[in-house]
Amino acid sequence: QVQVVESGGGLVQAGESLRLSCVVSGSILSINAMSWYRQAPGKQRELVARISSGRGGRTIYTDSVKDRFTASRDSARNTAYLQMNSLKLEDTAVYYCAADLEAVGVPRDDYWGQGTQVTVSS
């Protein structure tokens, strides 16, 4: 089975930083991309960042975070990170990791973690 587990969320004050981690485990054959999404109360889920694999791959960010957040990936460890600096109240959301992967016995798809809560207070 595939497991995707996020960690690192918590309660912080505006202007502070957090680093989220996402670890993918299982009989993984390949990971094509790893992404971070978030969903704020009363809002639809939105893409925060995505890292594509292989030659020509690149990292993209939603405009509201691209000057403050940095996504990274350790391919050898099947781990992704989201460094979040200068956090704002509007960054409050549940943050999800999604891995576009192929594994033994399952179809290629986005596999999601359970989410980790990030709450930013004034």
Side-chain angles (χ1 to χ4, degrees):
Q1 293 183 335
V2 175
Q3 297 181 38
V4 180
V5 180
E6 305 100 333
S7 62
L11 174 63
V12 298
Q13 292 185 321
E16 295 182 341
S17 299
L18 281 174
R19 189 179 75 158
L20 306 183
S21 299
C22 172
V23 179
V24 180
S25 62
S27 299
I28 308 301
L29 298 175
S30 63
I31 298 178
N32 300 290
M34 297 190 72
S35 302
W36 290 97
Y37 293 80
R38 67 184 180 185
Q39 188 166 24
K43 305 293 185 181
Q44 293 188 345
R45 184 175 297 173
E46 67 171 342
L47 177 68
V48 177
R50 174 174 286 134
I51 304 174
S52 299
S53 301
R55 294 189 300 273
R58 64 189 184 98
T59 304
I60 60 96
Y61 301 90
T62 190
D63 286 344
S64 63
V65 310
K66 64 182 180 181
D67 294 327
R68 300 181 294 118
F69 292 10
T70 302
S72 60
R73 178 183 174 187
D74 184 343
S75 297
R77 299 177 183 272
N78 291 333
T79 301
Y81 303 94
L82 185 67
Q83 179 68 44
M84 305 184 294
N85 297 327
S86 301
L87 283 161
K88 303 176 179 179
L89 294 177
E90 51 265 43
D91 295 318
T92 295
V94 178
Y95 284 72
Y96 298 90
C97 176
D100 175 8
L101 61 81
E102 182 180 3
V104 174
V106 299
R108 177 180 171 180
D109 203 351
D110 281 353
Y111 291 83
W112 292 76
Q114 296 298 308
T116 184
Q117 176 72 47
V118 173
T119 302
V120 184
S121 64
S122 61

